[in-house]
């Protein structure tokens, strides 16, 4: 779980914004907003200049991952003013030296938010107890998600502004969009110490979310979380839940159909 030990904290001039950067070596910062804006966004600029936006839940510390590797970062906390206009409430630059490449992908964050006593974590623990190794656990999580969660066409047609998934909500309602499938799967994997990337971009010309995972046996496996005991099949949980194996394989091909925009 993310922590806020208060060793390194930056505060806005009016005290309504705080950034706890005590654990940058573990691949995350925590941001809290206690002001009056109706919407807040955290924008992280990575060492290579790319940017990751994070809608922020208001009122408590929330984890924000640092997925750009080692180097110099900048973070801006943006307060909604009106329309599409935001004002900078707090801006900070800092350097990051990660403990290892996996730490940003082992903690909860805004797109994969969970606590130790959440139902998604408990279900992950139960599946872990039934698994013989990491590969078996990944397969069991995948099969559980695609057999339990149904695609929510109504939500897909009316996605709220700055929509954030919630793994326990998805598990409780048993429905969701691609981001919900990916978030629940990632929460169950990370909570059992499986490094997992929640990735957002395009599948063909459709905005989409999928997952990449890492194990000691395989290293990073991009865009693939299905393992039949011998081979990995390129498939993501949303497609796997709604299509036949043959049609999914034909669609995703060798993975070139996916174009990455953001890495959470």
């Amino acid at each position: 779980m993310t922590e806020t030990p208060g060793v390194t904290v930056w505060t806005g001039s009016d005290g309504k914004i705080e950034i706890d950067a005590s654990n940058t070596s573990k691949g995350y910062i925590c941001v809290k907003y206690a002001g009056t804006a109706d919407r807040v966004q955290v924008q992280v600029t990575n060492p290579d200049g790319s940017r990751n936006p994070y809608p922020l839940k208001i009122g408590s510390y929330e984890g924000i991952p640092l997925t750009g590797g080692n180097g110099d970062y900048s973070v801006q906390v943006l307060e909604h003013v009106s329309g599409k206009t935001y004002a900078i409430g707090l801006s900070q630059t800092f350097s990051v030296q990660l403990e290892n490449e996996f730490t940003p992908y082992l903690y909860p964050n805004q797109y994969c938010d969970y606590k130790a006593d959440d139902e998604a974590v408990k279900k992950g623990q139960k599946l872990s107890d039934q698994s013989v190794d990491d590969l078996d656990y990944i397969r069991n999580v995948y099969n559980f998600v695609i057999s339990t969660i149904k695609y929510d066409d109504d939500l897909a047609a009316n996605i709220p502004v700055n929509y954030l998934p919630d793994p326990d909500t998805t598990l409780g309602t048993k429905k969701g969009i691609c981001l919900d499938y990916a978030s629940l799967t990632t929460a169950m994997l990370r909570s059992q110490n499986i490094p997992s990337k929640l990735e957002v971009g395009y599948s063909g010309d459709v905005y989409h979310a999928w997952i990449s995972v890492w194990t000691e046996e395989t290293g990073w496996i991009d865009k693939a979380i299905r393992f039949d005991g011998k081979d990995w099949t390129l498939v993501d949980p949303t497609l796997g839940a709604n299509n036949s194996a043959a049609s999914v394989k034909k669609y995703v091909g060798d993975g070139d159909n996916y174009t990455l925009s953001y890495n959470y």
Side-chain angles (χ1 to χ4, degrees):
M1 299 296 117
T2 55
E3 297 176 323
T4 52
V7 176
T8 302
V9 178
W10 303 307
T11 305
S13 58
D14 55 6
K16 63 185 178 184
I17 303 173
E18 294 181 2
I19 300 174
D20 190 315
S22 305
N23 286 316
T24 58
S25 65
K26 294 182 179 179
Y28 69 86
I29 58 174
C30 290
V31 181
K32 181 170 70 173
Y33 179 79
T36 59
D38 62 333
R39 295 198 301 270
V40 179
Q41 185 179 102
V42 177
Q43 185 166 271
V44 176
T45 302
N46 300 309
D48 65 358
S50 63
R51 295 180 178 180
N52 280 11
Y54 300 89
L56 188 71
K57 297 175 185 177
I58 295 174
S60 61
Y61 269 117
E62 301 292 338
I64 304 294
L66 304 171
T67 60
N70 298 327
D72 295 330
Y73 287 76
S74 67
V75 60
Q76 292 181 329
V77 182
L78 307 174
E79 300 175 272
H80 182 239
V81 178
S82 63
K84 296 182 179 180
T85 303
Y86 284 76
I88 299 175
L90 178 61
S91 180
Q92 191 70 42
T93 59
F94 53 97
S95 294
V96 172
Q97 184 67 40
L98 296 172
E99 293 178 2
N100 58 64
E101 65 174 295
F102 309 113
T103 53
Y105 308 109
L106 286 170
Y107 290 91
N109 63 51
Q110 289 293 88
Y111 281 93
C112 174
D113 196 11
Y114 56 90
K115 304 295 187 293
D117 59 351
D118 281 0
E119 292 303 314
V121 174
K122 293 176 182 177
K123 182 61 181 180
Q125 180 64 63
K126 184 176 294 186
L127 290 177
S128 178
D129 292 342
Q130 299 168 0
S131 305
V132 297
D133 55 25
D134 287 352
L135 296 178
D136 191 38
Y137 177 64
I138 294 169
R139 180 176 58 220
N140 288 338
V141 168
Y142 171 81
N143 287 332
F144 168 76
V145 171
I146 69 168
S147 64
T148 303
I149 310 303
K150 304 301 180 184
Y151 195 78
D152 191 336
D153 292 305
D154 290 338
L155 177 59
N158 300 281
I159 301 175
V161 175
N162 292 333
Y163 178 73
L164 286 171
D166 180 85
D168 261 21
T169 297
T170 303
L171 189 60
T173 62
K174 293 183 170 57
K175 59 184 181 179
I177 59 174
C178 61
L179 193 56
D180 297 304
Y181 279 83
S183 179
L184 173 59
T185 306
T186 302
M188 294 176 72
L189 294 175
R190 287 186 184 179
S191 65
Q192 297 302 310
N193 210 38
I194 305 291
S196 310
K197 297 178 181 178
L198 193 165
E199 298 173 315
V200 176
Y202 287 88
S203 179
D205 59 358
V206 178
Y207 204 53
H208 194 44
W210 61 89
I211 298 164
S212 296
V213 297
W214 184 93
T215 74
E216 290 187 6
E217 294 88 346
T218 63
W220 279 109
I221 307 165
D222 294 329
K223 317 178 193 73
I225 65 165
R226 186 176 183 183
F227 186 66
D228 63 8
K230 180 180 179 181
D231 299 310
W232 285 94
T233 301
L234 288 171
V235 66
D236 62 56
T238 312
L239 292 178
N242 295 280
N243 299 275
S244 69
S247 63
V248 168
K249 181 63 177 178
K250 180 180 179 180
Y251 182 77
V252 301
D254 63 358
D256 290 341
N257 208 34
Y258 292 84
T259 303
L260 179 65
S261 297
Y262 302 113
N263 175 14
Y264 300 114

